[in-house]
Amino acid sequence: MNISLLLIPIAILSGCAATSVSEFKSPDGATVKKVKCTSDPAKCFVMASDSCPKEGTYRVISSQSNAGGIAADIMPGPITWYAMNFACGPSDGKMPDFNFVGQQYIPPAPPAQPLVIQRQPTTTNCTKYGDTVNCTTN
């Protein structure tokens, strides 16, 4: 039961990490689109092509990749995010390079192991002479 409760948020967050396309106007008034996807840049190509239904082709304007989390790329994490700006229409054949920008993800250090001090075994020998007991520890 506990495992299924843990998997529900992961499944929801995975949906949030789905490839997305946004649109904006460039300074010259042309419509530019931006696609963001995780783990595989091929997802970006598919979404870019799908978002240009009339032509199916597009021109890559710029691209980049960066480290992020499973649901967002607002801070460095173990997931690679790809982003590409493009314009629908005839392609000039330029492929995105997805140069890495931003901070690298540095995984946390493993927990410190407790220091174990090994001691030599001690031996205590005692001898009794009458009412006197003498002990020696090695």
Side-chain angles (χ1 to χ4, degrees), residues 12-126:
I12 291 170
L13 290 176
S14 297
C16 295
T19 305
S20 64
V21 177
S22 60
E23 191 174 292
F24 58 94
K25 294 285 185 186
S26 67
D28 67 357
T31 300
V32 175
K33 296 182 179 188
K34 180 176 187 172
V35 64
K36 288 178 74 173
C37 53
T38 60
S39 304
D40 183 6
K43 295 176 189 175
C44 290
F45 301 144
V46 171
M47 286 300 292
S49 184
D50 289 349
S51 72
C52 299
K54 186 191 263 186
E55 304 89 357
T57 59
Y58 55 90
R59 179 175 45 88
V60 175
I61 298 169
S62 64
S63 64
Q64 70 179 51
S65 62
N66 60 286
I70 190 167
D73 62 339
I74 53 177
M75 60 189 300
I79 307 294
T80 300
W81 282 76
Y82 297 93
M84 180 173 68
N85 291 325
F86 63 97
C88 293
S91 173
D92 60 3
K94 176 186 169 196
M95 290 294 289
D97 50 18
F98 294 112
N99 286 331
F100 192 88
V101 299
Q103 297 178 348
Q104 295 283 341
Y105 173 68
I106 300 170
Q113 297 296 320
L115 180 61
V116 178
I117 299 174
Q118 294 184 354
R119 299 177 187 232
Q120 296 296 325
T122 57
T123 305
T124 303
N125 294 315
C126 298

